[in-house]
Amino acid sequence: MSQAEADALIKSTDPEHPANLIPELCASFYHLGWVTGTGGGISIRQGDKVYIAPSGVQKERIKPEHIFVLPYPRPSPEVFLRKPTQPLKESACTPLFWNAFDLRGAGSCVHTHSQHAVMATLLWEGETWEVSHLEMIKGVRKAGTDKALSYLDTVVVPIIDNTPFEEDLKDSMAEAMKKYPDAAGVLVRRHGVYVWGTDWEKAKTQTECLDYLFEVSVKMKLAGLPTKLG
Amino acid sequence: MSQAEADALIKSTDPEHPANLIPELCASFYHLGWVTGTGGGISIRQGDKVYIAPSGVQKERIKPEHIFVLPYPRPSPEVFLRKPTQPLKESACTPLFWNAFDLRGAGSCVHTHSQHAVMATLLWEGETWEVSHLEMIKGVRKAGTDKALSYLDTVVVPIIDNTPFEEDLKDSMAEAMKKYPDAAGVLVRRHGVYVWGTDWEKAKTQTECLDYLFEVSVKMKLAGLPTKLG
Amino acid sequence: MSQAEADALIKSTDPEHPANLIPELCASFYHLGWVTGTGGGISIRQGDKVYIAPSGVQKERIKPEHIFVLPYPRPSPEVFLRKPTQPLKESACTPLFWNAFDLRGAGSCVHTHSQHAVMATLLWEGETWEVSHLEMIKGVRKAGTDKALSYLDTVVVPIIDNTPFEEDLKDSMAEAMKKYPDAAGVLVRRHGVYVWGTDWEKAKTQTECLDYLFEVSVKMKLAGLPTKLG
Amino acid sequence: MSQAEADALIKSTDPEHPANLIPELCASFYHLGWVTGTGGGISIRQGDKVYIAPSGVQKERIKPEHIFVLPYPRPSPEVFLRKPTQPLKESACTPLFWNAFDLRGAGSCVHTHSQHAVMATLLWEGETWEVSHLEMIKGVRKAGTDKALSYLDTVVVPIIDNTPFEEDLKDSMAEAMKKYPDAAGVLVRRHGVYVWGTDWEKAKTQTECLDYLFEVSVKMKLAGLPTKLG
């Protein structure tokens, strides 16, 4: 494919085209404190194409021309449908986003470094973070891609240990996703969270719900309130 | 009514037309943390028409064409003056907004999932949240639609228990509104708050005042300060 | 004066004209949490004219045509150079702003309902809030209009008791300003703060410095750290 | 050099020209709470030119014409390549920014009054603030300009005592930079932080990472959690 043909994959006047959405959403996530300091981001898969932001760049300043397009499925980690002409590398989260696509059939995956997620992993010392009886649970879906949870469900998110290299989280994240097949995300201790959904809207709104729940559950725990009833 | 006639109900160049205001206000509420993850919103009633946002959508991205228009009073829950052409459902808060219209003659009702409201319902374990001697009390009106409270008044908001389905709150909310006829809102434990007013300005500013009071009263309680004097 | 002549006082293409600045600054203060729920605001005096926002309106939505212009000095509380044509009343803070003009020769006065100010008045139970040894003290001026404080100065702000009617604070505020002639502002317990300066820039930046100091001193006190050294 | 020739140094249609970037970045820092009340800012060095904002102005309202251009190296503190025509003085941080240029070869230096930095200097009473095992450490570089730290590294930032005059920090800051040659910034107790990088992007993103780490480490310490492992 010529660079012009490849670039056509990220040029669109439609504000909801992934190459336009990723910059807009990342800027919005920056103002939520989710992706400061170049960390975090969102990946969108539409059919056999995956759109991914670069690694190590200011997430609130991404432009469509910085977006990578990868084939799905992907024959090998060297294959791209489109790469930026700048000397950029695709997000180090790519193998983690792939877990969400492969194991849950997700159409989008968000990664944040939200301090609420990090504090939740520090105050919940076991293998999972769990809360119950909060309205926002209803905004989270079983497995992230299935039907919405009920107010009476306990939401459970597994917590895996962090590793020096982001890509080395791939196996433990996959393992946690298999062990907790109903989980809509995976927390990484001292690091952040991965949350996925059928499409970017559902990945984003579920990340909002879980981030809200991380935040309020941390407040509750610090105030000495129980975070799981019954 | 034809779709074109129905659509005329939500098309206006006036920025203060309800179909323009609801998207603008919901976007603003999103940035206050009141309506993330698709929850919460605002409804506006003008005479015999009620404007309502859809259920389960990103509240900061609503457009006028997504707005439902309902008759007031409403012969049955199946009657609409205007529905979006997209496959959308009206907000699940509709029966709760109706309580404010029917029981208080309100012209607008706001629903938030503000964490300050939720924390207030957790730290005030009884049937009401009450605070006194804070200037912002003066921004709240008796019954939500009557004269402004004085600095010397205690503001009282009843707290009802949450239910798995939002519409099932209708009866307990109505009961609380009757038992506390001076209350300007109803808190829902582990969920959020409903606040109403004569018009959208008064519903919004009273929600701001109550949210401020929820927040500062939670800070006071956690700091060991009394929240009600005399 | 005809309404057209009066309106000329608030019509200008200069973004730094008081009738343009007050709406812009109030919108900015709204996003800082200083003037939600219609409370608070800023007044600007330029020579013999004082520009004041209306009472009881959403402060982030003021327009130049809502601005009152009052003569300075003012023969009686009924005299206006310009009133909005809408049925609006001038800010209830007017007599308090006047204290700053009369007793300090201020050119601008800010009033906020910042929760940091309110928490400071609750955690400092005496007649003053005082902190020392914080860099931001250098952004506050002696008496609000004199030379900048040094890092080695203790900043002292008197705290007066709140009253049911805002205008009734006039005398106790004036008394506090006379008793503490070096103070750059006056805290009102359970209510907020008044801060003034030579012009709007200095009133605004001093409010920012004091609000920062209220916030950090509350955090320090809650963390068990001393807020005044030596 | 004529004023017109000098002004050419700060006139550019390129949004990434330092005279355009400094106003934009300072406005963004204002909304992060880093530079309220006229404090803090960013300096950019490109080759033999250093761009610096004025002292004592509202940092969110700087315009390109307010920018000073200084030669690097600088024969004496009186030499400017370009001064604003307004009666302004260059930032009092200038000698501190120079430390970063001289001792680390930095291309940019940020100074904030972030409350997270101040709280960190109060809760870490010794000569350094240190944390380990947090993902955001990977966004900080050895010495600020060298290779990125690993998740397994402990990030160490020296804390120096504040002085009444900002310029008097020059020697103690330089001393701390020499004693801690791997540090990417210097905290000033009760004041804020200086952080530098090879260019403005790296100075900014490292400031974001360190500010995040200050904030989360303060939360951890107040929650009784260890901030340094192993």
Side-chain angles (χ1 to χ4, degrees):
Chain A
M1 207 186 303
S2 72
Q3 184 73 32
E5 285 170 313
D7 285 354
L9 296 174
I10 52 94
K11 281 186 186 157
S12 169
T13 55
D14 178 2
E16 302 231 336
H17 184 283
N20 294 330
L21 270 174
I22 290 175
E24 183 205 336
L25 292 171
C26 282
S28 162
F29 294 170
Y30 176 82
H31 295 290
L32 296 173
W34 290 0
V35 300
T36 59
T38 82
I42 182 170
S43 172
I44 297 175
R45 179 175 72 85
Q46 288 189 340
D48 59 1
K49 289 186 190 63
V50 174
Y51 301 82
I52 281 184
S55 165
V57 300
Q58 298 177 78
K59 289 294 187 289
E60 78 280 18
R61 288 174 179 263
I62 297 173
K63 293 189 176 146
E65 59 261 33
H66 302 146
I67 301 295
F68 290 78
V69 188
L70 284 59
Y72 184 84
R74 196 181 185 195
S76 92
E78 288 77 42
V79 182
F80 294 88
L81 297 178
R82 193 264 170 188
K83 289 171 83 165
T85 51
Q86 300 89 341
L88 293 168
K89 220 176 123 28
E90 78 277 16
S91 167
C93 308
T94 303
L96 295 313
F97 292 147
W98 234 259
N99 276 339
F101 305 148
D102 283 349
L103 302 179
R104 292 286 203 270
S108 181
C109 187
V110 174
H111 175 45
T112 88
H113 287 185
S114 165
Q115 293 194 13
H116 307 308
V118 170
M119 286 300 290
T121 69
L122 294 169
L123 291 170
W124 273 255
E125 297 183 5
E127 190 176 287
T128 56
W129 165 90
E130 307 189 13
V131 298
S132 79
H133 292 86
L134 288 164
E135 176 69 9
M136 288 292 264
I137 290 171
K138 290 164 60 180
V140 182
R141 285 167 185 274
K142 191 180 157 186
T145 48
D146 201 336
K147 67 171 200 283
L149 296 184
S150 147
Y151 176 66
L152 300 178
D153 288 323
T154 293
V155 59
V156 178
V157 177
I159 307 174
I160 61 173
D161 283 332
N162 199 23
T163 54
F165 297 98
E166 191 115 20
E167 50 270 33
D168 293 342
L169 293 169
K170 185 175 173 68
D171 290 348
S172 56
M173 178 181 167
E175 204 179 311
M177 291 174 74
K178 287 169 191 159
K179 184 163 176 189
Y180 296 91
D182 292 350
V186 173
L187 283 159
V188 186
R189 188 158 274 133
R190 301 176 168 279
H191 178 156
V193 71
Y194 283 86
V195 182
W196 52 82
T198 310
D199 50 35
W200 71 268
E201 288 99 331
K202 292 200 179 64
K204 168 181 170 285
T205 57
Q206 289 189 98
T207 309
E208 289 171 351
C209 290
L210 283 171
D211 196 62
Y212 174 110
L213 291 167
F214 297 148
E215 183 178 4
V216 84
S217 67
V218 165
K219 287 182 192 169
M220 288 166 72
K221 183 154 278 201
L222 293 177
L225 294 164
T227 51
K228 201 172 139 189
L229 301 185
Chain B
M1 206 185 304
S2 72
Q3 184 74 31
E5 285 170 313
D7 285 354
L9 296 174
I10 52 94
K11 281 186 186 157
S12 168
T13 56
D14 178 2
E16 302 230 337
H17 184 284
N20 294 330
L21 270 174
I22 290 175
E24 183 205 336
L25 292 171
C26 283
S28 162
F29 295 170
Y30 176 82
H31 295 290
L32 296 173
W34 290 0
V35 300
T36 59
T38 82
I42 183 170
S43 172
I44 298 175
R45 179 176 72 86
Q46 289 189 339
D48 59 1
K49 289 186 190 63
V50 174
Y51 301 81
I52 282 185
S55 165
V57 301
Q58 298 177 78
K59 289 295 186 290
E60 78 280 18
R61 288 174 179 264
I62 297 172
K63 293 188 177 148
E65 59 261 33
H66 302 145
I67 301 295
F68 290 79
V69 188
L70 284 59
Y72 184 84
R74 197 180 185 196
S76 92
E78 287 76 42
V79 182
F80 295 88
L81 297 178
R82 193 263 169 189
K83 289 172 83 164
T85 51
Q86 300 89 341
L88 293 168
K89 219 177 124 25
E90 77 278 16
S91 167
C93 308
T94 303
L96 296 313
F97 293 146
W98 233 259
N99 276 339
F101 305 148
D102 283 349
L103 302 180
R104 293 286 202 270
S108 181
C109 187
V110 174
H111 174 45
T112 88
H113 287 185
S114 165
Q115 293 193 13
H116 308 308
V118 170
M119 286 300 290
T121 68
L122 294 170
L123 291 171
W124 273 254
E125 297 183 6
E127 190 176 287
T128 56
W129 165 90
E130 307 189 13
V131 298
S132 79
H133 292 87
L134 288 164
E135 176 69 10
M136 288 292 264
I137 290 171
K138 290 164 60 180
V140 181
R141 285 166 185 275
K142 191 180 157 186
T145 48
D146 201 336
K147 67 171 201 283
L149 296 184
S150 146
Y151 176 66
L152 300 178
D153 288 323
T154 293
V155 59
V156 178
V157 177
I159 307 174
I160 61 174
D161 282 332
N162 199 24
T163 53
F165 297 98
E166 191 114 20
E167 50 270 34
D168 293 342
L169 293 169
K170 186 176 173 67
D171 290 348
S172 56
M173 178 181 166
E175 203 179 312
M177 290 174 75
K178 287 170 192 159
K179 183 164 177 190
Y180 296 91
D182 292 350
V186 173
L187 282 159
V188 186
R189 189 158 273 134
R190 301 177 167 278
H191 178 156
V193 71
Y194 283 86
V195 182
W196 52 82
T198 310
D199 50 34
W200 70 268
E201 289 98 331
K202 292 200 179 63
K204 167 181 170 286
T205 58
Q206 289 190 98
T207 310
E208 289 172 351
C209 290
L210 283 171
D211 197 61
Y212 174 110
L213 291 167
F214 297 148
E215 182 178 5
V216 84
S217 67
V218 165
K219 288 182 192 168
M220 288 166 72
K221 183 153 278 202
L222 293 177
L225 294 163
T227 51
K228 201 172 139 188
L229 301 186
Chain C
M1 206 185 304
S2 72
Q3 184 73 31
E5 285 170 314
D7 285 354
L9 296 174
I10 53 94
K11 282 187 186 157
S12 168
T13 56
D14 178 3
E16 301 231 336
H17 184 284
N20 294 330
L21 270 174
I22 290 175
E24 182 205 337
L25 292 171
C26 283
S28 162
F29 294 170
Y30 176 82
H31 295 290
L32 296 173
W34 290 0
V35 300
T36 59
T38 82
I42 182 170
S43 172
I44 298 176
R45 179 176 72 86
Q46 288 190 340
D48 58 1
K49 289 185 190 64
V50 174
Y51 301 81
I52 282 185
S55 165
V57 300
Q58 298 177 78
K59 290 295 187 289
E60 77 281 18
R61 287 173 179 264
I62 297 173
K63 293 188 176 148
E65 59 262 32
H66 302 146
I67 300 295
F68 291 78
V69 189
L70 284 59
Y72 184 84
R74 196 181 185 195
S76 92
E78 288 76 42
V79 182
F80 295 87
L81 297 179
R82 193 264 169 189
K83 288 171 84 164
T85 51
Q86 300 89 340
L88 293 168
K89 220 177 124 25
E90 78 277 17
S91 167
C93 308
T94 303
L96 296 313
F97 292 147
W98 233 260
N99 276 339
F101 305 149
D102 283 349
L103 302 179
R104 293 286 203 270
S108 181
C109 187
V110 174
H111 174 45
T112 88
H113 287 184
S114 165
Q115 293 194 12
H116 307 308
V118 170
M119 287 300 289
T121 69
L122 294 169
L123 291 171
W124 273 255
E125 298 183 6
E127 190 176 286
T128 56
W129 165 90
E130 308 189 13
V131 298
S132 78
H133 292 87
L134 288 164
E135 175 69 10
M136 288 291 265
I137 290 171
K138 290 164 60 180
V140 181
R141 286 167 184 274
K142 191 180 157 186
T145 48
D146 201 336
K147 67 172 201 283
L149 296 184
S150 147
Y151 176 66
L152 300 178
D153 289 324
T154 293
V155 59
V156 178
V157 177
I159 307 174
I160 61 174
D161 282 332
N162 199 24
T163 53
F165 297 98
E166 191 114 20
E167 50 270 35
D168 293 341
L169 293 169
K170 186 175 173 67
D171 290 348
S172 57
M173 178 181 167
E175 203 179 311
M177 290 174 74
K178 287 169 191 159
K179 183 164 177 190
Y180 296 91
D182 292 350
V186 173
L187 282 159
V188 186
R189 188 158 274 133
R190 301 176 167 278
H191 178 156
V193 71
Y194 283 86
V195 182
W196 52 82
T198 310
D199 50 34
W200 71 267
E201 289 98 331
K202 292 200 180 64
K204 168 181 169 284
T205 58
Q206 289 190 97
T207 309
E208 289 171 351
C209 290
L210 283 171
D211 197 61
Y212 174 110
L213 291 166
F214 297 148
E215 183 178 5
V216 84
S217 67
V218 165
K219 287 182 192 169
M220 288 166 72
K221 183 153 277 202
L222 292 177
L225 294 164
T227 51
K228 200 172 139 189
L229 301 186
Chain D
M1 206 184 306
S2 72
Q3 184 73 32
E5 285 170 315
D7 285 355
L9 296 174
I10 53 94
K11 282 187 185 157
S12 169
T13 56
D14 178 3
E16 301 231 335
H17 184 284
N20 294 330
L21 270 174
I22 290 175
E24 183 205 336
L25 292 171
C26 283
S28 162
F29 295 170
Y30 176 82
H31 295 290
L32 296 173
W34 290 0
V35 300
T36 59
T38 82
I42 182 170
S43 172
I44 298 176
R45 179 175 72 85
Q46 288 189 340
D48 58 1
K49 289 185 191 64
V50 174
Y51 301 82
I52 281 185
S55 165
V57 300
Q58 298 177 78
K59 289 294 186 290
E60 77 281 18
R61 288 174 178 263
I62 297 173
K63 293 188 176 148
E65 58 262 32
H66 301 146
I67 300 295
F68 290 79
V69 188
L70 284 59
Y72 184 83
R74 196 180 185 194
S76 91
E78 288 76 42
V79 182
F80 295 88
L81 297 178
R82 193 264 169 189
K83 289 171 83 164
T85 51
Q86 300 89 341
L88 293 169
K89 220 176 122 29
E90 78 277 17
S91 167
C93 308
T94 303
L96 295 313
F97 292 147
W98 233 260
N99 276 339
F101 305 149
D102 283 349
L103 302 179
R104 292 286 203 271
S108 181
C109 187
V110 174
H111 174 45
T112 88
H113 287 185
S114 165
Q115 294 194 12
H116 307 308
V118 170
M119 286 300 290
T121 69
L122 294 170
L123 291 171
W124 273 254
E125 298 183 5
E127 190 176 285
T128 56
W129 165 90
E130 308 189 12
V131 298
S132 79
H133 292 86
L134 288 164
E135 175 69 10
M136 288 292 264
I137 290 171
K138 290 164 60 180
V140 181
R141 286 167 185 274
K142 191 181 157 185
T145 48
D146 201 336
K147 67 172 200 284
L149 296 184
S150 147
Y151 176 66
L152 300 178
D153 289 323
T154 293
V155 59
V156 178
V157 177
I159 307 174
I160 61 174
D161 282 332
N162 199 24
T163 54
F165 297 98
E166 190 115 20
E167 50 270 34
D168 293 342
L169 293 169
K170 186 176 172 68
D171 290 348
S172 57
M173 178 181 167
E175 204 179 311
M177 290 173 74
K178 286 169 192 159
K179 184 164 177 189
Y180 296 91
D182 291 351
V186 173
L187 283 159
V188 186
R189 188 158 275 134
R190 301 176 168 278
H191 178 156
V193 71
Y194 283 86
V195 182
W196 52 82
T198 310
D199 50 34
W200 71 268
E201 289 99 331
K202 292 199 179 65
K204 168 181 170 284
T205 57
Q206 289 189 97
T207 309
E208 289 171 351
C209 290
L210 283 171
D211 196 62
Y212 174 110
L213 291 167
F214 297 148
E215 183 178 5
V216 84
S217 67
V218 165
K219 287 182 192 169
M220 288 166 72
K221 183 153 278 202
L222 293 177
L225 294 164
T227 51
K228 200 172 140 188
L229 301 185

